[in-house]
Amino acid sequence: MESSTVLSRLILVLFILGLAVTVAEAIRGHQEKELIRRPGFMYSRIRGRCTPQFWSSRREAWPRMVPQTSSVSKVFGSRVYERYRTDLTLLEATERNDDNNNAFSSLLKQSSAALLNSYSRKDFPYTAWEVKTALIQALVSEEAASLQAQRFSHANEACT
């Protein structure tokens, strides 16, 4: 009887050791898969490379389609005369700091960055035509301007 107890304990210990080895191999295999999926220290763009602040810092060359000295009215069309100065440039629009309480200023600032992103970022969700059209359509009211500025802001922040 004593030998059967020793034998059953030995089988139990072997079973537990086998289970531990199986779990350890599974964990190691999972870690190896995680190492393969992670890029490590590869270069990647950081967030914020598409914001109005980034474009106003002049750290990257502007797209040739819209030079920094382009006037907002020439780029977005004559409808912007109602809300903005006729001599306001795109660079000045991205540098604006008066957008906290003014929906139209925020719209122009975010639209300018979105337009630059549409020309220079392959995966940006808006085309240049969509940016220009959305800005013109949002000029009808403060509510529409604020909503469209938020949409462009989210797209600009999410851009890489």
Side-chain angles (χ1 to χ4, degrees), residues 81-152:
Y81 282 134
E82 300 168 12
R83 300 280 180 198
Y84 310 108
R85 292 188 345 244
T86 56
D87 63 337
L88 184 66
T89 66
L90 277 182
L91 179 60
E92 291 171 337
T94 60
E95 291 175 336
R96 293 183 81 129
N97 292 325
D98 62 346
D99 59 330
N100 290 339
N101 296 325
N102 188 337
F104 295 108
S105 292
S106 180
L107 174 66
L108 180 62
K109 185 175 184 175
Q110 295 299 332
S111 297
S112 298
L115 182 68
L116 294 166
N117 293 329
S118 70
Y119 283 125
S120 61
R121 308 285 188 251
K122 188 172 87 173
D123 295 329
F124 193 69
Y126 295 97
T127 65
W129 180 255
E130 290 171 329
V131 172
K132 292 176 183 182
T133 304
L135 173 105
I136 297 298
Q137 290 173 344
L139 290 174
V140 296
S141 70
E142 276 195 48
E143 184 180 339
S146 178
L147 183 62
Q148 189 58 55
Q150 287 176 350
R151 288 180 185 149
F152 283 146

Side-chain angles (χ1 to χ4, degrees), residues 1-26:
M1 185 112 157
E2 196 175 304
S3 66
S4 67
T5 306
V6 171
L7 186 60
S8 64
R9 286 185 180 170
L10 182 61
I11 291 173
L12 180 63
V13 168
L14 289 174
F15 175 75
I16 291 173
L17 281 174
L19 184 62
V21 168
T22 304
V23 169
E25 287 177 2

Side-chain angles (χ1 to χ4, degrees), residues 39-52:
F41 291 104
M42 292 177 61
Y43 171 78
S44 63
R45 286 186 170 172
I46 57 171
R47 289 178 58 97
R49 290 200 52 144
C50 302
T51 62

